Amino acid sequence: MFDNKLLVIPEIANSHAGSVSKALDLVKAISGIGCECVKFQIFEPAELYKQTDEAFDLFKTLTLPREAWEELFQLSRAFGLNIFCDVFGQSSLDLATELGCDAFKLHLSDIRNLSFVSAIAEHNKPVFLSVSGASLNEIFDVIYSFRSRGIDDVTLMHGFQRYPTNLEDTNLSRVNTLKSIFDLKIGYADHTSGDDERLIEHLALAIGQGATVIEKHITLSR
């Protein structure tokens, strides 16, 4: 589905801070920078944390209601954007599917959750698979699981998730390693500082290593 030479994915994630109006402004901003897609994170706090966890209440404030997602999807479509969604459980998967998501991202934390892999595969959409920190055996297993269910459009996403990631921790050479081992598209999810003067050079190096997908978190203001 996404076969152009370089796909740039602007990820809104939680930059909206729970504000629907800010989320809408982020979509509008994306529409003006030449990207062909937007990526959201859809979740219920219970998919990520126990209610006794300190982070549960924080993520509760970041959770958008269904009507907000309907508005965000409608606006994204009006701008001609493809919509990708990070999903973290059956509830968020169901919502993303009902709203017409074009592709899913499976996080590393679910790479061994084969029942969830199976649930995603049922919808027959492209998958972006986070593999940083995963062993080769884990990657082979989840690819086999998707392929055995008819999903061949899988992109492996390398990226060190520390905010911000120090350049020396990004291990860009793994992009080339993944490319040499797997007959799949390879992407790079960058979490280095957006105002690092070396950012563009860094992303160019990732592309030079073989990345055909670049994912970057965005915000309206730093």
Side-chain angles (χ1 to χ4, degrees), residues 62-80:
L62 299 173
T63 305
L64 299 178
R66 181 189 179 96
E67 55 268 24
W69 286 119
E70 291 174 347
E71 191 174 1
L72 285 164
F73 270 62
Q74 184 178 18
L75 182 64
S76 300
R77 293 301 186 203
F79 286 127

Side-chain angles (χ1 to χ4, degrees), residues 9-17 19 22-30 37-41 64 69 72 76 81 84 86 215-219:
I9 303 176
E11 178 173 354
I12 289 179
N14 295 309
S15 292
H16 53 71
S19 166
K22 186 176 289 185
L24 292 167
D25 286 342
L26 283 158
V27 172
K28 293 173 186 175
I30 288 171
C37 62
V38 58
K39 186 153 84 70
F40 299 115
Q41 289 187 359
L64 299 178
W69 286 119
L72 285 164
S76 300
L81 297 171
F84 307 157
D86 297 28
E215 177 186 295
K216 186 70 180 172
H217 285 248
I218 66 164
T219 183

